[in-house]
Structure formats: C-alpha cells, structure tokens
Amino acid sequence: MTDTMEKPEDRSKALKGLGTSRKRVEDVRFTQGKGNYIDDLKLEGMLFGDFVRSPYAHARVVSVDKEAALALPGVIAVLTAEDLAPLGLHWMPTLAGDKQMVLADGKVLFQGQEVAFVVAEDRYIAADAVELVEVDYEELPVVVDPFKALEPDAPVLREDIADQKEGAHGPRKHHNHIFTWEQGDKDATEQVLAGADVVAEEMIYYHRTHPCPLETCGCVASMDKVTGKLTLHGTFQAPHAVRTVASLISGIAEHNIRVISPDIGGGFGNKVGVYPGYVCSIVASIVTGKPVKWIEDRMENLMSTAFARDYWMQGKIAATKEGKITGLWCHTTADHGGFDACADPTKFPAGFMNICTGSYDIPTAYLAVDGVYTNKAPGGVAYRCSFRVTEAAYFIERMIEILAIKLDMDAAELRRINFIRADQFPYQSALGWEYDSGDYHAAWDKALKAVDYEGLRREQAERVEAFKRGETRKLLGIGLTHFTEIVGAGPVKNCDILGLGMFDSCEIRIHPTGSAIARLGTISQGQGHATTFAQILASEIGISADDITIEEGDTDTAPYGLGTYGSRSTPVAGAATAMAGRKIRAKAQMIAAYLLEVHDDDVEFDVDRFVVKGAPERFKTMKEIAFASYNQAIPGVEPGLEAVSYYDPPNMTYPFGAYICVVEVDVDTGVTDIRRFYALDDCGTRINPMIIEGQVHGGVTEALAIAMGQEIAYDEMGNVKTGTLMDFFLPTAWETPNYETDYTTTPSPHHPIGAKGVGESPNVGGVPCFSNAVHDAFRAFGLTQSHMPHDHWRVWKTARDLGLHG
C-alpha cells in the first residue's frame, strides 16, 4: 500500500492535532450571524415571563394585588409564592446545600428579589403587567456589611432558619452566620507567628463584582402534556446537573426531562446555578401547556443573578529577617448575600480558598472562612476562576508585597527565594493540596528578563526623583505576580455538587467512511471546544480534526457530565476525550492486525495508521480500518468503532504563570495608563496556541476590568449603585492595552496528554498584577491600605492621602 503523503511530519501536519494553531471552526457561523442563542428560539404558541422585583433590600411582603395586571389583555397568569406553595416549589435547593425562595415567601432579602412572575402572550405585555402588580411592603432594617451582620443586635435575615444551630457545613454561631470552614494547623501557625523575626499584617478586600456575560440568563420551558416530557432550553453551563436539579424540584422523572444548551454568549460562572426564572418558566409551562420563555434584562442580570468575590481577608505572614516565609494565617469573612447559593463543591464551602499559599513553600499555614448572610443578592460564582482561586491568589500576592515592604526587600527576589523548587514536585502544601508539577524559578527568570526588570526598577527610582523635583506628575508602578491555580474539579473522592461526582465524559463514534462525531458532557461558552477537542482526538485516533464533529449541550444525546466552569473542560473532559480515543485506537489495532494478517503486538500506531513493525510499507490507515469495522466479520471483535469514557481524575491540575505589569499613574487625575503587560503562562501541554493566546487576552481584559473599576456597589439601604452599564465598568478597545504573551511547558504527570487548563489563569493572575502595579507606584511615598477597584477616584484619593497633590 502506498500513500501520497509518506512523510510522518506531513501526515501529522494534515491531522491538525495537538500543538496546531488551528482557526476556531465555531467562528464561521458566529461571524456570519448564524449563532443559535436562547432568545433566537421561537416555538409555536410561546408565552413570555417577567418578574415583579422588590425595590427594597429587606422588607415584609404584606400583600400582592394581581387584579390590575390580570385585567390587562394578553396576561395569562401572575404567580406568587402562595401559588407555588401547594406544589412545594416556593423554595428550591441551592448548590451550596442551602435553600432559596423561588418567589418571595413572606419577606424579601435583597433588592431585585423575585416577588411575582407574570406570564403573558407578549414580552412587552408582560413588562407592562409587571408595573400593574401592586405590592405592599413593610420596610425592615437593612445590613449590607458582613461584620455588622454578625453583631449581637443585628436584624435576623433568615427567619426560616434563625433557630437552627447547625447548617449544611457545620455549627452556626449567630443567626446571620452560615458556616465556619477551617484548613491547616491553627496552633502551630500561631506559634510560628509569635516567634517570628518579622510579621506583616493586612486586611485585604476583594470587592463584589459580576461576570456580566454578553448574553444574559434565560430559558424556554416546554411541557408536552401528551408525552409527559419537559424540554428545557437554557443558558446552562452544566446541562446535566440542571436536569437532575429540575427533576428533584419538579418531581418529573429525569428520563422525561431534556435539557438543551444552545450557543451561549459567555458564562464565566454566571450560568452554573439554577435561578428562579428557570423554575417559574417550568411551572408556567406545566400550568398553561405552552412553551414559556424567560429572558432577563441587563439590570436584572447585574442586580440579582449570581455575583462573585466579596471576600474580606485578614492576613498575617511570618518570615525570617532574610525573607524566608515561615507561616501564613488568614481569616476570611465571606459575604454570601441573602442565601448561600455559591457554586462550590460540597466539601469546600469556601471553594478552593486553601490554595492561598500560592506558589510558595510555606511550611505552616492556617485558613478560616466565615460565611455570612447580608441583604445583598446571593451567589458567589467562580467568575473566570476555579472556586475562589482568584481571591486566594490575590490574597497571597498582596501579602507578598506587604512583606517585601516590611523587610525593605525587592519583591521579585522575595518571591524567588520562597518558590517551591522543581525538585519538590509533587508538592504537598500546608493546606492540603498536592501540586502536580512546575518549574517556577525558570518561568520567573524568563519573565523578569523579558521585561528588563532591573532596568524598570532603575527607571522607577529616577521617576521618583524627577517627581520630587517637580519635573513630572506621573509615577511608575511595576506589578509583579506569580500565581498557581488549582483547576480540573475534580476527583469524585473530594469533589461533588449536590452529591453529583465531578467526573466528565466523552462518547466517540467513527463513521464507516472515516469521519467521526464526539459527544461530551461539557458545554462551550466561547472556549473553542469544537476546535480543541477535535485536535485532541486527531492526535489520538489519526483522523483529521477537520473530519471530527464535536457536539455538546443536549442531555438526550450527550453522556452525563458536570459541565464547563472553573477551567475543568481540558483537565477533565479533555482527558475523557483522550481516553475514549485510546479505546478507539486499541480496537483499531486489533482490526489492523487482522487485515494485515499479523499478531496485534506486531503492529504499531504511526500518526494516522497502523504499520507492521519493521515493515512500515505495510500499513492500514484509520480510514481503511473504520470501513473494515463496518463491513468485515473480524473474529473476536464486534462490528463498529465506538467508545465512551467517563474520566474521574486522580488529582487536580495546577497551571501557573508569571505576570508583570508596568503602569503610569497621574497623581492629579488618578488616571492609570497601562504601559506594558507581560503574561507568561504554563498550562502544561499546549493544544492550540492560537486559542490559548485568545483565552489569555480575554482573561486579562476581565482582570483589568475587575482591578480597575468593575464593582457591584451598595449603599447603606441595600440599593445597588452600579446596576447599569453606565455605572458598571466594562472595558472597550479604548481602555484595553496590548498584551505580550509567553509560556513555559510543564506537563501534568497524571493527565493523559499532560494538559492543565488555561481559561481561568489570566483572570487569576491578572487581577493581583494590575493591583500590585498601582500600589507599587505609591510605594516610595508610604504604605496605604488602598482597596480595589483602582478607579480614577480611588487612585486620586490615595495620592491625596499621601500628600502628593502639592
């Protein structure tokens, strides 16, 4: 047998497999306006739902008068908690083990909370009817400060559980307390702090922000009363989990529920949980027998769907006079809003916050997190990070900077002498994680050399002197960050959500003519799954990526999986894809041996074919093997070429990176110009360098937004002050700087292809990098406790407080 492309390198190139900068196949339809989003879906007889929302952050609902709304032509129904109660649907379980009102049951706990659900023939009629529903409220005292919420005389927020001494995660010590979660050795850490040469302390606040995806949340529920089957289309990052939750809530058998996630216009964690809009749409469809669509507007999305962050982190870090870190102590007060609806694994009520030792060899550490109810919207999603990892990275990278100031030591050198060494991997952290692999020193040295770090420090010192002489009004700041992320949730042994193990899956079918379809339990929201998963398979099974279709998001066809969030697609679903591909290859080897009339052990895989060992001119291509699997009776081998893999990873993966940001701060206006941003990432095996670069650009831009102005802010009455895009900062091309990307490669030893994941890393590393740069600009003039976000006003005030306005 001969082939027109005999050279292995040419055949490998034609596969477009691992390491290839392949253009995203999804973009062909997206750039032509052919995407298929929830609001594009139109079903016959479809009705529309809209919410009456509370203008108050804390109030009793005295009465709800539906009469005027129901009298409006086109209005079908107005649902309240009173209507849902007989069905047991006025409350629903949250992913965190709490329960949440679907519609206000007796009181409201945050501004924008859902009070009533209007169903109408037209979305505009529904909106008009919302204004006609008259709700009588009795205002109650409001608490938006988590520290004040724990005071003895604080108002009781959750009256339904006020007397409960135990919560889902252990004892409750106050009527507004949710849980206390601890990791590490408290006594040993306090002993280290007491005897340390140097102890640096700081209160670090990571403000409340919001993923604000381009497409807001929404769904279309359609109950077929003839078949008894419910079809739910929605903006779901975890379709199978939503199906299971929908079954638990509604009582409909799970096999009679089909959940479909079409194209999703960004998720970033915002679309993991279950919202009242989903439940109300399902109920309305069951009651009316017609499809019901609910789509939130932008204000509703910002005010009421899941927030991110809102962590107050009190830190203490101990070190020797030479800068060797000996201990780390952290107490976090976590503001969860009115309900604990965080999307975290069950055993980790504060997510993976115990990665807060970062990239450093810290022998002793202790972490405690107190969850607290306040009169804010619930949530706590992994906004482009893996379960509170960005809070952890921000905490340790700020603490390193504070320690460097205390020691009067260069922050880059302080990091270097405390890094986990390459020969220490696999590394067991003081707070319980086993880091898989890394070479932090190599990455750090490469980054510092790339930006001429020593030259930047000289320039910074010259700038300070020029400022003192009155020759400039701009200071130079150099932001340093070396982060380690933990992704790939996760091993079933320690990661589940509502009892569902966080494995993932892939099913592959090879067609007779040699093309393939792979179905996965994940769902892309812009990560390029259709492109990269095909590349993984191309390298595993020897079929061109162009001949492989990737399908996700339909629970009737895809194998069960826990979805896409927290950078778990490549570490978990990507591994499942590789393992399924290897099952295909194992069967293909038996078929090839039969066709070549040799023993199975006498053939070996070579890019896109199996060749006879020692006689490479004798081979069968994967396309030939595929056809033979369907048209020849092969002894001991069943027909067809299919495989399925459910992958439960043995460990998380630990991507890392070295980021450096150079800023110029105008002390008179507070304006911060990003002069340079360098981002080096190590995500293990690189599947598609082009997509990696795009992910880094997107993640760093979101980090820019968070660090420099993006905030969900409340006044003392619980009113949301940043509920529109006039007030909530989203960077445009004008504000977004150029980025320099770089990499090192340290494969994960336990992942089938060595991949670690990258989608969340630039957000995790970018936020402390931007923040450290702003803080560093003022370092020569005194230490200030300046919290994010570093918008122009806050930066101006910092300069004023330091006496720099002259």
Side-chain angles (χ1 to χ4, degrees):
M1 175 116 195
T2 61
D3 194 286
T4 57
M5 298 180 67
E6 289 293 341
K7 293 182 179 180
E9 58 267 28
D10 290 335
R11 290 187 279 113
S12 181
K13 185 177 180 180
L15 286 182
K16 302 180 181 178
L18 295 179
T20 303
S21 287
R22 181 187 183 218
K23 288 185 177 180
R24 290 177 18 134
V25 299
E26 300 94 327
D27 292 348
V28 174
R29 71 176 192 276
F30 290 148
T31 55
Q32 297 182 53
K34 301 296 184 182
N36 179 33
Y37 299 93
I38 285 299
D39 213 16
D40 295 324
L41 184 63
K42 296 176 176 61
L43 301 179
E44 185 178 356
M46 187 166 66
L47 304 175
F48 297 84
D50 200 355
F51 280 111
V52 176
R53 295 182 179 274
S54 170
Y56 299 104
H58 194 201
R60 296 205 185 280
V61 179
V62 178
S63 64
V64 180
D65 188 343
K66 315 175 186 178
E67 189 174 339
L70 290 171
L72 184 68
V75 173
I76 307 300
V78 178
L79 301 177
T80 65
E82 195 173 284
D83 300 308
L84 300 183
L87 305 172
L89 296 176
H90 54 316
W91 288 74
M92 64 180 183
T94 71
L95 297 181
D98 198 359
K99 59 178 182 175
Q100 177 178 347
M101 298 176 197
V102 174
L103 295 173
D105 185 20
K107 67 185 297 190
V108 292
L109 290 169
F110 60 92
Q111 187 181 60
Q113 184 174 341
E114 301 83 357
V115 176
F117 189 66
V118 174
V119 183
E121 295 173 353
D122 180 277
R123 66 189 311 165
Y124 300 102
I125 295 174
D128 289 342
V130 163
E131 300 299 322
L132 296 176
V133 177
E134 296 183 8
V135 185
D136 184 15
Y137 297 97
E138 176 191 334
E139 290 188 67
L140 297 172
V142 172
V143 58
V144 292
D145 183 327
F147 298 102
K148 292 181 179 178
L150 292 179
E151 291 178 355
D153 59 348
V156 177
L157 302 185
R158 289 291 301 277
E159 294 174 355
D160 59 301
I161 58 171
D163 296 328
Q164 290 185 13
K165 302 301 181 184
E166 291 281 331
H169 306 290
R172 300 175 65 223
K173 58 188 181 184
H174 184 278
H175 52 257
N176 292 330
H177 182 248
I178 306 172
F179 63 81
T180 297
W181 182 61
E182 297 176 286
Q183 294 284 301
D185 191 326
K186 181 179 181 180
D187 292 340
T189 303
E190 290 180 347
Q191 287 176 12
V192 168
L193 290 169
D197 293 342
V198 177
V199 176
E201 299 185 38
E202 184 82 343
M203 171 63 86
I204 297 170
Y205 179 48
Y206 199 136
H207 58 289
R208 176 175 284 232
T209 184
H210 194 281
C212 193
L214 183 63
E215 178 196 28
T216 60
C217 297
C219 70
V220 178
S222 181
M223 183 70 188
D224 188 326
K225 292 192 173 182
V226 176
T227 64
K229 185 151 188 170
L230 170 69
T231 301
L232 185 63
H233 295 78
T235 52
F236 309 131
Q237 290 184 236
H240 285 95
V242 168
R243 185 185 70 183
T244 299
V245 173
S247 177
L248 293 171
I249 292 174
S250 68
I252 300 172
E254 198 163 355
H255 74 283
N256 280 330
I257 301 175
R258 181 184 185 186
V259 175
I260 301 172
S261 289
D263 292 328
I264 297 179
F268 314 115
N270 194 227
K271 297 170 181 174
V272 174
V274 174
Y275 294 116
Y278 306 159
V279 178
C280 289
S281 297
I282 292 171
V283 172
S285 182
I286 293 172
V287 171
T288 64
K290 294 183 178 182
V292 176
K293 176 187 283 189
W294 167 71
I295 303 287
E296 64 181 0
D297 64 28
R298 179 58 61 191
M299 288 184 68
E300 290 176 309
N301 181 258
L302 289 171
M303 290 176 63
S304 60
T305 56
F307 73 94
R309 321 307 190 229
D310 216 343
Y311 262 33
W312 290 90
M313 301 170 285
Q314 180 69 48
K316 301 177 186 178
I317 188 166
T320 66
K321 293 176 182 178
E322 294 73 31
K324 184 62 179 174
I325 300 172
T326 55
L328 180 71
W329 182 95
C330 177
H331 181 271
T332 295
T333 302
D335 189 334
H336 285 228
F339 307 97
D340 185 6
C342 290
D344 290 322
T346 301
K347 295 178 182 178
F348 300 93
F352 299 153
M353 182 65 190
N354 53 324
I355 195 73
C356 64
T357 52
S359 305
Y360 309 104
D361 183 16
I362 301 177
T364 309
Y366 171 71
L367 166 72
V369 181
D370 279 309
V372 183
Y373 291 122
T374 64
N375 289 124
K376 298 178 183 175
V381 299
Y383 173 10
R384 200 157 188 157
C385 82
S386 180
F387 307 116
R388 304 291 187 174
V389 171
T390 188
E391 290 94 323
Y394 184 67
F395 168 77
I396 186 61
E397 289 303 300
R398 285 296 305 134
M399 290 304 298
I400 291 289
E401 294 288 313
I402 299 300
L403 179 60
I405 293 170
K406 186 91 171 182
L407 290 165
D408 193 23
M409 186 175 184
D410 180 75
E413 181 60 21
L414 178 61
R415 286 175 169 86
R416 178 185 281 109
I417 67 175
N418 284 289
F419 282 146
I420 301 164
R421 301 188 313 275
D423 62 7
Q424 289 180 276
F425 291 97
Y427 174 81
Q428 190 71 36
S429 79
L431 292 177
W433 296 118
E434 184 184 283
Y435 294 26
D436 54 359
S437 64
D439 191 340
Y440 298 163
H441 288 89
W444 195 235
D445 291 341
K446 186 175 185 180
L448 296 179
K449 183 178 179 180
V451 301
D452 183 18
Y453 177 70
E454 292 183 0
L456 285 173
R457 285 299 183 197
R458 288 193 297 270
E459 181 186 354
Q460 183 184 45
E462 292 167 0
R463 183 71 65 92
V464 169
E465 293 306 312
F467 181 88
K468 291 177 179 178
R469 293 193 299 267
E471 297 170 4
T472 181
R473 301 298 292 164
K474 291 185 177 181
L475 299 175
L476 188 71
I478 305 166
L480 302 177
T481 287
H482 191 290
F483 66 92
T484 296
E485 194 184 6
I486 177 172
V487 302
V492 171
K493 63 185 178 183
N494 60 14
C495 280
D496 74 275
I497 290 183
L498 289 182
L500 301 172
M502 297 180 74
F503 58 84
D504 233 294
S505 57
C506 178
E507 177 189 278
I508 306 170
R509 296 180 182 178
I510 311 296
H511 305 311
T513 53
S515 61
I517 184 170
R519 295 186 171 100
L520 294 96
T522 47
I523 176 67
S524 179
Q525 309 115 47
Q527 295 92 338
H529 290 180
T531 305
T532 55
F533 286 146
Q535 291 181 252
I536 294 173
L537 274 179
S539 292
E540 291 291 343
I541 65 177
I543 293 175
S544 171
D546 291 339
D547 293 330
I548 300 172
T549 294
I550 302 296
E551 187 179 286
E552 305 172 292
D554 187 338
T555 61
D556 268 14
T557 58
Y560 203 103
L562 267 290
T564 299
Y565 42 88
S567 244
R568 63 184 305 276
S569 293
T570 296
V572 188
T577 301
M579 298 303 286
R582 291 174 190 182
K583 290 181 180 180
I584 292 285
R585 205 165 72 197
K587 185 175 180 181
Q589 182 173 351
M590 292 188 288
I591 297 171
Y594 175 80
L595 297 176
L596 292 166
E597 299 181 329
V598 296
H599 190 273
D600 294 0
D601 293 339
D602 291 329
V603 296
E604 60 186 358
F605 189 64
D606 181 22
V607 183
D608 62 348
R609 62 194 62 186
F610 280 95
V611 302
V612 176
K613 293 178 181 177
E617 70 280 2
R618 296 186 61 208
F619 62 85
K620 289 293 180 182
T621 66
M622 283 299 296
K623 290 203 172 190
E624 292 174 309
I625 293 167
F627 197 75
S629 73
Y630 284 92
N631 72 357
Q632 293 198 33
I634 301 172
V637 179
E638 62 185 17
L641 199 53
E642 300 182 358
V644 62
S645 175
Y646 284 82
Y647 183 77
D648 178 19
N651 188 13
M652 312 285 190
T653 58
Y654 296 80
F656 62 92
Y659 287 9
I660 301 174
C661 178
V662 183
V663 303
E664 291 189 336
V665 177
D666 188 320
V667 299
D668 295 319
T669 64
V671 172
T672 301
D673 291 322
I674 313 298
R675 194 172 89 179
R676 187 175 187 184
F677 196 97
Y678 170 90
L680 180 151
D681 280 278
D682 192 314
C683 59
T685 300
R686 292 161 60 84
I687 299 169
N688 185 320
M690 186 186 299
I691 284 183
I692 291 172
E693 187 169 352
Q695 288 286 296
V696 172
H697 284 198
V700 176
T701 301
E702 286 185 300
L704 168 72
I706 293 168
M708 308 307 286
Q710 192 174 90
E711 179 184 22
I712 297 294
Y714 291 79
D715 66 18
E716 291 183 355
M717 297 302 295
N719 297 307
V720 179
K721 299 193 293 183
T722 52
T724 75
L725 295 186
M726 292 291 289
D727 307 294
F728 186 81
F729 174 49
L730 286 183
T732 66
W734 180 263
E735 292 92 3
T736 304
N738 292 322
Y739 305 120
E740 301 170 54
T741 60
D742 205 345
Y743 66 95
T744 57
T745 302
T746 313
S748 171
H750 62 78
H751 190 279
I753 64 171
K756 293 184 175 183
V758 75
E760 320 288 358
S761 294
N763 187 286
V764 172
V767 174
C769 193
F770 283 116
S771 183
N772 283 345
V774 175
H775 281 96
D776 186 69
F778 294 110
R779 178 175 174 177
F781 297 92
L783 180 61
T784 63
Q785 191 177 63
S786 176
H787 296 307
M788 287 194 299
H790 303 295
D791 54 50
H792 301 341
W793 169 241
R794 286 181 174 92
V795 174
W796 180 89
K797 286 198 298 182
T798 298
R800 179 200 63 187
D801 294 343
L802 290 171
L804 301 181
H805 287 167

